[in-house]
Amino acid sequence: MDYVHSQSDFKLNENLTLVDKVEGDLLDFFNDKQFKAGDVIPKEIELAAQLGVSRTVLREALMRLRMRGMLDTKKKRGTVITNPDLLSLIEKTMYPGILDNTTLRDIFELRMVLEIGMGDLLFERVTQNDIDELYAIVANEPLNTEDLLFDSEQEVRFHGKLYDITGNETLRRFQRMLLPIFKYVHESGILKKQVQQKKFVSHRGIVDVIQHGTPEAFRNAMRNHFENHFQRLF
């Protein structure tokens, strides 16, 4: 692949800087060479010649990749490809107070989609001890929980336990990262729209499904559990 830039290339998209382009070309180059985590990349002078840019521009592009967790410098080895922390950049920018309502709604919807879809993983890994713990969490909930708009602490306890049961660390970390978003969304009034009650499955009902049901029954129960939220969102 030819990575060398001409002056006309840089005018194709005025929103991209030269460093932006070189950053993308570096990733394309690493991909073409099939570099993996732990591989040493060529020296700066070789990369600059390969990409047809100055070493100053190249260094800035490499620094960006280091900041993204994709490169690291090792003594006696040089610069190596690293396995990036996929969620770290999201965590650093996840400040609900500066996100607009559309983004907040999108994130809240993502949370519901994840939980509806976790049935197979949850049923594969749940134990009776997990189920007993879930019953303990919901023991003090009123029977008619559809009348409650939101109890953030109870939501965190119950739904956090579901994420824990999956045994998927990325899912668990993602849920912990989004907790401030959930709290902010509910406190902001975005979800305070009155709804018409349809089918509703409480936390206790979800635990019953986990105890006696199937992954498909769990997905249906979670859809019904979130019905009020869906109505408020749409």
Side-chain angles (χ1 to χ4, degrees), residues 141-149 200-204 225 228:
E141 287 189 2
L143 294 178
N144 297 320
T145 53
E146 67 271 20
D147 295 329
L148 298 178
L149 178 58
F200 178 83
V201 177
S202 66
H203 287 160
R204 191 187 308 275
H225 177 68
N228 293 346

Side-chain angles (χ1 to χ4, degrees), residues 118-162:
M118 67 169 58
D120 290 285
L121 194 57
L122 189 148
F123 270 76
E124 180 68 25
R125 296 175 177 173
V126 69
T127 67
Q128 187 58 50
N129 285 339
D130 291 324
I131 295 173
D132 292 342
E133 185 174 341
L134 286 170
Y135 275 123
I137 290 172
V138 304
N140 295 324
E141 287 189 2
L143 294 178
N144 297 320
T145 53
E146 67 271 20
D147 295 329
L148 298 178
L149 178 58
F150 185 74
D151 181 331
S152 59
E153 292 185 359
Q154 183 68 356
E155 286 278 301
V156 168
R157 284 193 295 270
F158 181 79
H159 292 273
K161 179 59 182 177
L162 296 183

Side-chain angles (χ1 to χ4, degrees), residues 14-106:
E14 295 180 355
N15 293 323
L16 293 179
T17 67
L18 176 55
V19 177
D20 292 330
K21 291 178 170 62
V22 174
E23 185 181 357
D25 284 345
L26 279 169
L27 293 175
D28 289 339
F29 176 76
F30 298 154
N31 185 61
D32 291 342
K33 296 298 182 182
Q34 298 184 336
F35 287 153
K36 303 295 182 184
D39 290 343
V40 179
I41 68 173
K43 297 183 183 301
E44 284 184 5
I45 191 170
E46 298 175 46
L47 288 172
Q50 179 72 36
L51 301 181
V53 297
S54 71
R55 292 179 69 179
T56 300
V57 171
L58 178 73
R59 283 171 185 158
E60 187 173 345
L62 289 171
M63 180 59 67
R64 288 187 181 184
L65 295 181
R66 286 190 181 93
M67 293 175 64
R68 291 167 61 180
M70 304 182 77
L71 295 176
D72 194 13
T73 301
K74 301 292 185 181
K75 287 185 177 180
K76 299 182 180 181
R77 293 194 67 199
T79 302
V80 300
I81 303 288
T82 56
N83 188 40
D85 185 338
L86 297 179
L87 296 181
S88 64
L89 290 178
I90 301 177
E91 287 175 332
K92 293 174 182 177
T93 56
M94 194 64 75
Y95 291 94
I98 64 174
L99 299 177
D100 62 30
N101 284 356
T102 298
T103 303
L104 291 169
R105 288 171 183 267
D106 287 347

